[in-house]
């Protein structure tokens, strides 16, 4: 499909939640596949980060960056 993304951003299971939030912001995504080798082993979402009090700020910063850049498109 023409609207499908062919280059999918992902993280490894060993990545920290801070790294996940930074990657989401950099890639302008709210969901990030967790991939081990070539196998999908999970998903991390901004909602997942928000539910962890110790990562709520990272989630808010990622969402702010995503939102700000959407307006610039």
């Amino acid at each position: 499909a023409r609207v499908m993304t062919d280059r999918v951003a992902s993280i490894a299971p060993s990545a920290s939640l801070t790294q996940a939030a930074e990657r989401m912001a950099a890639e302008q995504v709210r969901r990030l596949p967790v991939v081990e080798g070539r196998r999908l082993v999970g998903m991390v979402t901004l909602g997942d980060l928000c539910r962890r009090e110790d990562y709520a700020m990272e989630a808010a910063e990622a969402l702010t960056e995503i939102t700000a850049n959407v307006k610039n498109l």
Side-chain angles (χ1 to χ4, degrees), residues 4 9 12 14 16 19 32 36-37 39 42-43 45-46 56 58 63 70-71:
M4 181 179 77
S14 60
S16 71
Q19 290 171 315
L32 200 55
E36 189 167 31
R39 194 172 130 244
M43 293 286 285
T45 69
L46 279 177
E58 284 89 343
L63 183 58
V70 167
K71 292 177 185 176

Side-chain angles (χ1 to χ4, degrees), residues 20-66:
E22 290 170 352
R23 186 76 189 263
M24 287 180 197
E27 298 290 338
Q28 300 293 286
V29 296
R30 296 172 189 227
R31 293 160 197 88
L32 200 55
V34 180
V35 177
E36 189 167 31
R38 295 186 64 160
R39 194 172 130 244
L40 177 68
V41 295
M43 293 286 285
V44 176
T45 69
L46 279 177
D48 294 334
L49 297 177
C50 288
R51 284 189 286 280
R52 293 275 309 262
E53 284 185 33
D54 48 338
Y55 288 97
M57 184 58 70
E58 284 89 343
E61 290 171 358
L63 183 58
T64 298
E65 285 189 45
I66 292 167

